[in-house]
Structure formats: C-alpha cells, structure tokens
Amino acid sequence: SSLLQDIRNTVGNIPMEWYQDFPHIGYNLEGKRIYKPIRNKDELDKFLEKMENPDYWRTVQDKMTGADIKLTDEQVDLVHRLQKGQFGDVRFDPYEPAVDFFTHEVMIHPVTNRPADKRSFIPSLIEKEKVSKLVHAIKMGWIKPRKPKEDTPTYYDLWAHEDPNSILGRHKMHVPAPKMKLPGHEESYNPPPEYLLSEEEKLAWEQQEPAERKLNFVPQQYRCLRAVPAYSRFIQERFERCLDLYLCPRQRKMRVNVDPEDLIPKLPKPRDLQPFPTTQALVYRGHTSLVRCLSISPSGQWLASGSDDCTVRFWEVCTARCMKTLPVGGVVKSIAWNPNPTVCLVAICVEQSVLLVNPCLGDKLLYGATDQLLESYVPPEEERVQPVQWVAATIEEHSKGIRLTVQHSKPGRGAAPLMGLACDRLPPCSLQALKQVTWHGKGDYFASVVSDNSNMQVLIHQTSKRWSQNPFRKSKGLVQCVLFHPIRPYFFVATQRYVRVYNLLKQELTKKLMANCKWVSSMAIHPGGDNVICGSYDSKLAWFDLDLSTRPYQLLRHHKKALRSVAFHKHYPLFASGSDDGTVIVCHGMVYNDLLQNPLLVPVKVLKGHALTLDLGVLDVLFHPTQPWVFSSGADGTVRLFT
Amino acid sequence: SLTRRLCILKGIYPHEPKHKKKVNKGSTAARTFYLLKDIKFLLHEPIVNKFREYKIFVRKLRKAYGKSEWGTVERLKDNKPSYKLDHIVKERYPTFVDALRDLDDALSMCFLFSTFPRTGKCHVQTIQLCRRLAVEFLNYIIASRSLRKVFLSIKGIYYQAEVLGQPVTWITPYAFAHDHPTDVDYRVMATFTEFYTTLLGFVNFRLYHSLNLHYPPKIDGQAEAELKPAEGKEYAMDSESYLEKLSALSASLVRVVAPTQEDDVEMDVFPVEGETAEQVDARKKEQEALEKHKKLFEGLRFFLNREVPREPLAFIIRCFGGQVSWDKSLCIGATYDVSDPSITHQIVDRPRVEQQVIGRYYLQPQWVFDSVNAKLCLPVADYFPGVLLPPHLSPFVTEQEGDYIPPEKLKLLAMQQGEEPGD
C-alpha cells in the first residue's frame, strides 16, 4: 500500500502547509491537479463517525495526501512500543551480553606488529619552532606571566592613619546626601486602624500623580506576618534612591526652622529684674501747691523741688527734712542741679529768668569753691551782644543764695546801660515764661526754653563766661524740651511731634525722630546716649533706638492719662514715667552693647501714692543718681520717694 | 556612561545654578549642571585610565570571539584588567565616622543584592560578595549588641543599630523572589553596589577589629564543633558551608584576644563642666536603661517554627542576648530541638498549635519586634497564636507636642513608665 501512496504524493517531502489553502496537492502526469479528498465534515458528522466507526481510534489523517488511513495492527503496536519508550524493532534485544573487542588481559603479542615511526622518537621540528617562538616572545617581553587571580577583594584597615591634612578642601564643600525618611506608623504591616485609607482617600490617592502623592504606598493591614507579601516596588525604590544620589542637585539651604514660640522674645519675669523701686519710703511735705519740678544733687544727698507756691525747697534725701526754703517770687517751672559734682549750683526757672542758686548745702569747701568760681568772672573788655542779660545778685539776694540771674525778658528792666545800643537790634523778646532749664553734662553750659513761637525759644548759656547764644536762626515749631547728649556734642530738641538731633560742633541737623504721637511732653536720654524716650500727652511713651531707626523702637501705652515726665536712671537699666493718672510706672530698659541685640523693655512696677488734684497727678519723676530709687512730685504738693 | 560611573563612584552630584537662565544661555529647559571644578576633578582620577583599558579589553574580546580565536579569548580573559576603589573610599570618607554616617544606603543595597537570584541581572560574584558582607555585618551587630530598633513595614524590615554612636538604619526585603521590574537600570545599581561593597568591606574590617574579632570572621571553635554535621552526612562544599554557618547567625565568633575581666571595668564618671546633678543622674539612668535593653532576652530560649522568617528573628533574638534554635532540616546551625524542655518561647505563625508543650509560651513573631521597640518584654497574652494582634507601631516616630499619638502608643508609654498594664 505504501507503494501506491508514494505514487499519489507527487509533491515530494515539502512542508504541506504550502498547500494548506489550495484544494489540491500536486499534479499528475498529465499536469492535472490531484485534488484532496473532500473534507467537509462538521462537528456533528465527526461525532457520528466517532460513534459509528469502530476503527475511528486507529484512523489518522495522512498529511502528505490529506486522506484518512486506518492503521494496521503492526503499526498500532509500534506506536504503543514507542509510547512506552521501547525500541521500535520488536526483535531488537537491548540486553544482549556484551562481548569485549579486546580482552582486558595483556597478551604477549601485540594486536599489530607494525614498527614505530621514526618521528615518534626524534624531537619534533615543528614543536621546536613553536617553542623557540615562545621563548623569543618571553625574552622580548611580549608574553607576560599570568597574574595571580584574586577573586575575593582584600580588606585592610583603611582608616588606620586618619590624617586630617589629607582631607581635601572640597570635602568641606561636600554636601552629604540627606538620609532617607524613616517610616512612620502608616507603613507598618499592622498599623493602627486610623492610619488606613478610607475608600475615598484611596480613590484620591490613585488619581494623584505619583510625584504628588504624600505617601508612595497605600497603607495596608495584614492579620499576621505570614500574610505579608513581597513589596513589588522594592527594587524601584532602591533604584530611585540611587538616582537621587547621583542626579539630584544638592544645596545647603538655610531653612528658618524655628518654632513660632521661639520668635517671641522671652520676657523675663519682673522678679528677675530687681533691683527697682517697689515701695513708697518717704514723703517730703511742705509745699503748699503743685510741685512742678525736682532735681537732685550729683551726690544724691540733696533734693531740690520747685513749686507753684513760689518757693524752692531743698531737702535732705535720707531724712525728708526740709533744709532750706527759698522764696523766688514766681512759679518755678523747672529746676536743675548742676551735674558737675565739684560745683554746687542749681538753675531755677522763675518766670522770665533763670536763677543760679548756690544752696550752700553739704561740704563747705565745695560751695565755697563754687562761689569763688562764680566771682572769678572777669567781664570781657568789649561787651558783646547777648539775647539775655546776666545780672549778678544783690546783697539781699546773695544772702538767700542767689548768685546770678539770667533775664530773658525785655531789655530795659535793669539792663546794663551798655546794652542799650544793642537792644534795638534784638528781636522782640516775648514776655512768655521760661519752661525748662537743663545742664550740659560737664556743668558749664545750660540750655533754657521759653514757651513762645520765635527762634529765641532755645538759648544756650555758658556760666563761666556769662555768655548766652541763640543756636537757631529759625523756629521749627513749639519747643517742648531740650536735652544735651551725655557724651557727644549733640543737642536734642523736642517739638510737639518731632525730636530733632543737632550736632553742635558741625552746627547741623543730624536726625529727626518721629515720635508718632500728638504732643511730646517730656524727653529723657539713656546715659549711654543711644536711646531716647519721649513721653507724650496722649499717654504714650516712645522708645527710640538712635542706631536703629528714626521711628520709635517701641511704643508703651501703660498709662491711662497724659505723661508728664520721663526719666532714666544713671546706672541701673531703669526708666520711669509719671502721668496725670497719679502713677509712676517703672520699666526695665536693658540696652545691650551688642548692636545686634535690641533693647529689652519690660514694665516692672506701678507706683501709686500721689492723690489727684485738679486732674493732675504726678508732675515730675526723677531717679536717685546712685540708688535704684525714684522720686516723684505731685499736684498734691508732696514729693515722694519710692525705694 | 563612563562619566555616569565616575560620578557615582566619586560621589559627584549636580548643582543648582544661582541664575539658571544665565547659565543655560537664556533657555529655561530643565538641565543638570555640574560644577566645572567637579568635572576637572573627575579628570584627574587615575581610575579613568583603568576604565579605558577595560573598554579596550572588551573590544579585543569581541573581536576575538568574532574570529573564533579561542586561544586569544582565553589569553584575554586571563589578563582581564581589574581596578580597585580603595582610594576612592578613603577620599570620599576621610574619617571612619564619615563612612559610618553614610552607611545606610550601602547596607540597604547590599541586603537587596544578596537576595537576588544567581542568574541574569548581575554577576554572581557581586551577589555572593554582597551576601558575605551583609552576613558579616549582621554578625558584628550581634557581637556588639548594638541593635536598637526594628520595624516590620509593608516594604520590608527596618533595622536601626547604633554603631559607635552613629545611628545606622537599613531595610531588608521580605524573603520572596523578586519580579524584576523593566524600568530599572541595573547597571546604575551595579555601579553603586560596586562602591558600596568596597566601602562595607572596609567598614566591616574596622568594626571587627574594634571588637577584637577575627576578620574574616571565624566561628568559635566550640560552636564550630557543635555545628559540624553528623558523620557521613556531608552538607555542602566546605567553602560554601562556612558562609552558610555564618549566616545561620547562631554561633559566636572568635576573638583575637580572649576577653578578660579587665575589659569590663566600669568607666569612671567625670562630671562635665556646667552640668547639674540632675543631668548627671539622667545620663546615668539612660546608660542603665541601655544596658538593660541590651540584655532584654538574656536567659530566654527561643524556638522558631519553620513558617516564621528565620534570619530576621534569629538576628534580633541573638542581638538581645537570647538563645535561638530552629528545626534541623530548616537550616544549618540549629542548636537544640523543638522537644527541648528548657525552651521558654516558641515563635509560631499559624492559626493554632495542635500539640502544645507545657512550660513555654507560643507567640507570634510580632511579640519579638514589639518587645525590642518597647525595651521591655511585653505581656504575652496579646500575641498568642490566632489572636488578633495589637497594631505594630513604628519606633522611628517621636511625637512632638501637639501631634497625634495613637492610643496604643500612649498605653505603651504608660507601661514604660512602670504602670501596670490594663489600667
């Protein structure tokens, strides 16, 4: 049958897929197509055939012709044997006894008796040539001996000699990579339930860009450790870390990582800022009307107070005893003790004149010397034009202690005849009363303020030469008070709203401080000279740091009514303000030498004691020059000492 | 690619210019900028020449293969150029402390690489070296008892140790096969690993010597005898079995100098200037707490069932002074059997245990982790097999004032303060 089939396959041993789409396979001798048997059986036909044909199981399709062939019994057996892994040939016996080709025993005769070749016992020329080539190559250094292989790296103590000098400079510039963030509770395999995402959160997480996600994983909870699967993005995350390490720019950023709490300066407790006056120690009674002004001797032993009852009283500080009462015949607006400790002199503003009074208190030598100093004045040969008149005291006045009078009023009232000529050229002096007098730190110069609106408001006088001058050509507003800088040649002039700082040497305006208040009432300067406080009638106290700005460094609004007076302590970091509400507020005002550190202002104590009279409370405050004591004078006619 | 490798090895990173537009010639497109100084610095690196030699070697080899000159191939392979990164390590980390500070990434990478299959992805030698270094490091941590915190996260297991005063944190993946992602450039990772293995090798050397241990590590003679398989049962090749034994983490290591009593002399306390008595007290207390933490599992004998991850648990338990064993067929290095009556804790992770032996606790693995983090042996009742476990909290979170604190943490804090649980 195989012969017959071979004739029918005319195409040879080719892949039969080539004819897959054709109805025929090959051609016969006449060149006609040999058609495949028609196979249009559907599933049903196949099934029927399977059921009906008992030889269906041994029927296979011949790929070469496309015809169905029924396998013969022999062929079926062959298939079975091959399936079992046996040999296809039935007759082949794989377990035949092996017969050795040669015996393992050594025989006396060789298998072949051919004599050995000559070339088997003489050295090979080809090999010799090869060896000589190699030798030559080794000699020439072309072939090198093999390096011993090192599979495992060797380690040693790399940091045995840590040499600080060998550290490269660039190492200091090196920014070490920030460490990876440590995991939080949400990364746990069994996190607290509040860390799991809800459905909406999960949805939101999926919709976010991977770069925007706060967490790069979804928190999940597993019941036990064996349920935890591998994390599929582990390698990616390590890889991303690698990329970060070598591709991310690094930069040192000065992040302001401060707690907002820390930004608020820690105000120290007032208790820690002692000493400061806390209790009323003494009351100096005697004045019958408002006590407008106070002044203390540089030694701190004597206190002078000027009052509306037209007297100036001198007190001993420690005993509250009135040592002297000086009737001056006018309301005393201001009083100032000469700050020079070797001079015993008090300047008193009475109406239009400044009285220089030697109170004759304390050391006899001291006030004797003061008198000598004043008498040693030699009038200059040529009388100069002066805006004021210096009048020596009469004998009567001299016995009271008055030594000199500086009259600001119109000339003619007992003016020296020589001044007559000059009078015409003087600008018209008003009849306004003086309102302030203040000494320069050295004790020779003093300044006085007249309450009018002309350029003659402020005058600077020199005691030793009995010489006065008007520093300003033009009036810049109603001058409230003036001050000398304690160290440098500066002069502070407070008008209603501004404080102007003039350089006396260069004769120019250096600074203009804006007080941010309606009406400045008083002013005091820190002994260091860089800080100024201004009290105002709208109950504000402005602290200026001259190095910082022309605006107030701080505005304190602790008083309820208008401020009348402010004062600094000479040594302690204290300042005080007296107000119409009858209180004195003592504040701690620490000024640091370090320019970077701003002053520290802490109110520490409210001192009460003065009774309100005519809606006026405290009119003047003053610190003791050495002790942390504060004096206050009030509208109730008393002077009080708080220690 | 040469530049990339150099940048990775030398630790050069780009810089953000101050005026991006000016540097970028007016364009605002995103580009990476390196400092000119850095690039010049790279040029002077001697390893550049080695890289070039290697490139030439590869070219020659390819040519020989193409011509089927097998002799040449052999010869070339024998003379394969090699290079060392020792000097780069020294240059990047001039002091040992610098190296320790930067160890986190090196460790995580080595632990990851040591879990890779030995086929494809990267050289087998690298994987073996990573495994060796990782195991050495684990052994050091055990010997120095410097593990502090552990954390089971969904990504893997975090460990934090305090090595010579520096906190070192690393993560190991759970022991499953990786499905290797396609969007990862393994060459970059391999370059990093190349550097990290060098670094870690030197660090290990130094660390072992700081404890007077042999490097490469040697298993204690006594333990060695115990570990020896019974006669006739060959375990594996000697060279391989040594690393296996080491990675069993159950044997102690040989010291160069036998520890003497003098080593344990208590340090004198010198009060630091300006420190109040309270601070001194607090420091002393902290020191005592630390010593206590180190001996957390001292005297306890654990047995690990075969379903729990053996390596992490054995590592943690040994770090805190506990004894640990497992089924003999699970891994080499088992020291006692499950039937040992002296076992105090058996770690199981199955819904229930059929035959329970009286006298030991059957606990879930989380108990070990939570106890380490809490610095005290937690009450066991919450961790019995099949019980719903309490949440596992991260030990790395320190809540600031005003932050949310999970109630479980509050309970734990109360417990650490010495209050009775259940209040």
Side-chain angles (χ1 to χ4, degrees), chain A residues 144-147 149-163 166-168 170-171 173-195 216-239 241-243 245-251, chain B residues 4 8 12-16 34 38 41 78 86 89-96 98-99 101 104-105 108-109 112 116 132 151-155 158 167 169 171 173-174 176 178 180-181 183-186 188-189 192 196-198 201-203 205-206 215 309 349-351 364-366 389-394 396-397 399 404 406-408:
Chain A
K144 278 171 200 142
R146 275 182 199 169
K147 276 181 265 173
K149 268 206 162 180
E150 282 180 28
D151 259 358
T152 49
T154 49
Y155 298 117
Y156 51 91
D157 194 355
L158 189 67
W159 294 279
H161 310 285
E162 282 182 1
D163 182 12
S166 67
I167 300 173
L168 294 179
R170 56 178 291 113
H171 195 264
M173 298 298 296
H174 178 79
V175 183
K179 296 199 169 188
M180 280 192 94
K181 214 178 129 247
L182 289 172
H185 297 316
E186 64 278 355
E187 207 179 310
S188 165
Y189 87 104
N190 181 12
E194 60 267 28
Y195 284 94
N216 55 2
F217 57 91
V218 182
Q220 292 200 323
Q221 192 172 27
Y222 298 98
R223 261 186 44 255
C224 49
L225 189 58
R226 70 172 182 278
V228 184
Y231 182 60
S232 59
R233 286 188 48 80
F234 194 92
I235 297 179
Q236 267 111 330
E237 280 189 7
R238 289 309 327 161
F239 178 62
R241 171 69 177 170
C242 288
L243 290 186
L245 284 178
Y246 92 99
L247 282 180
C248 277
R250 294 182 203 165
Q251 221 169 19
Chain B
R4 187 186 67 199
I8 291 172
I12 301 292
Y13 47 86
H15 280 261
E16 194 73 12
Y34 288 91
D38 284 348
F41 175 68
D78 278 344
D86 307 7
V89 173
K90 182 74 197 266
E91 185 192 276
R92 277 180 67 174
Y93 305 109
T95 60
F96 183 52
D98 290 336
R101 278 188 199 137
D104 291 12
D105 290 311
S108 298
M109 199 64 136
L112 171 66
F116 276 178
R132 191 192 120 189
F151 179 51
L152 289 165
S153 95
I154 55 172
K155 296 182 178 176
Y158 285 90
T169 318
I171 179 174
Y174 287 115
F176 291 104
H178 299 280
H180 284 280
D183 54 345
V184 164
D185 188 351
Y186 279 90
V188 172
M189 301 244 283
F192 269 102
Y196 285 154
T197 49
T198 318
F202 286 116
V203 168
F205 185 93
R206 174 95 180 207
Y215 188 89
D349 196 3
R350 44 181 87 179
Q364 297 206 39
Q366 197 188 318
L389 290 166
H392 179 59
L393 297 173
S394 165
F396 302 112
V397 181
E399 278 91 359
Y404 171 73
E408 292 82 10

Side-chain angles (χ1 to χ4, degrees), chain B residues 377-394:
Chain B
C377 282
L378 291 173
V380 291
D382 294 341
Y383 298 91
F384 285 148
V387 163
L388 190 67
L389 290 166
H392 179 59
L393 297 173
S394 165

